[in-house]
Amino acid sequence: MTELMNFAQSVAREAGELILCEREQADLVHDYKGGNELVTNADIKADQLIRTRIEQRFAEHRLLSEESSPELQRVWESEVPVWIVDPIDGTVNYAHGHIQSAVSIAYCEHGQITLGVVYNPFTDELFSAELGQGAKLNGATIRVADETNLRRAIIATGFPYIKEGIDDMVERVRSILHHCADIRRLGSAALDICWLAAGRLDGYYESLSLWDFAAARLIAAEAGAVCGHFGAVPGDVDPQFFNKNLLIANPALYPQLLELLQQS
Ligand code: IPD
Ligand code: CA
Ligand code: CA
């Protein structure tokens, strides 16, 4: 394991331990960013912990982190490495006592995400990948499922906090339900994408923020998934970082899902 991977995994585990303890021991404080997006004191504490560890070890690196520094744009143009962090992906699950939540940490160098770690402390599952090295779950290699029949496929998605545009999303859900076996809304985009990487889901689509998918997208790609978009990507944006209309699936199902989503 490289030094960077070792570091990212140990920070993800430490933050995971923190969010576990916070839920068990403390009264979670609920707040709502912009009036509707849930954030707890554990999100803030985990963010601070990860930030501190990165600053202690790599003072010259930059950080894009959901709770403390969400403003960094055009990450791929940065001349210094950038860490992309979601301290808790699946906050609504977390605050409601569900177990589908994870710490997500990605590392970007020379405009390329080269490392991703997604850790679910409730199941003690750590998904990881380094560019060109394959994807792993707790150290064992994972691959996408080999399902080729859309009618047998389980597709995951999610919905934003802001309800604007929800009708178009409902239309897409209707189309997926008509053509696929079933749909899942599990509540953590990072884990949805890692579950796809592990063959537990066959397809995934959603619009997100970069911190939700940066690590998991690399993990899925390294597990053999095709990662793209079912809408246009602006010409001046590196598609690897484009957050809208993401579509991820195995190579057989990707074109079928693309057609379906583009039609609906
Ligand atoms: C959310 C989760 C969810 C997705 C939302 C995200 P958060 O992240 O990934 O699955 O549907 O769009 O905002 O707020 O729990 O970090
Ligand atoms: Ca998130
Ligand atoms: Ca979050």
Side-chain angles (χ1 to χ4, degrees), residues 16-30:
E17 187 61 31
L18 182 151
I19 64 179
L20 264 185
C21 291
E22 283 294 312
R23 195 162 85 175
E24 275 164 19
Q25 292 167 8
D27 277 341
L28 283 182
V29 180
H30 294 203

Side-chain angles (χ1 to χ4, degrees), residues 232-252:
V233 178
D236 65 337
V237 177
D238 182 333
Q240 200 190 158
F241 298 86
F242 190 59
N243 61 328
K244 298 215 166 43
N245 303 321
L246 288 157
L247 171 60
I248 304 178
N250 75 22

Side-chain angles (χ1 to χ4, degrees), residues 138-159:
N138 290 346
T141 298
I142 48 172
R143 291 289 300 168
V144 291
D146 54 11
E147 183 60 66
T148 57
N149 184 351
L150 206 52
R151 295 221 164 266
R152 302 253 177 271
I154 306 289
I155 310 300
T157 190
F159 309 102

Side-chain angles (χ1 to χ4, degrees), residues 250-262:
N250 75 22
L253 292 175
Y254 186 90
Q256 301 177 55
L257 283 166
L258 183 62
E259 196 183 341
L260 202 60
L261 291 168
Q262 283 177 336

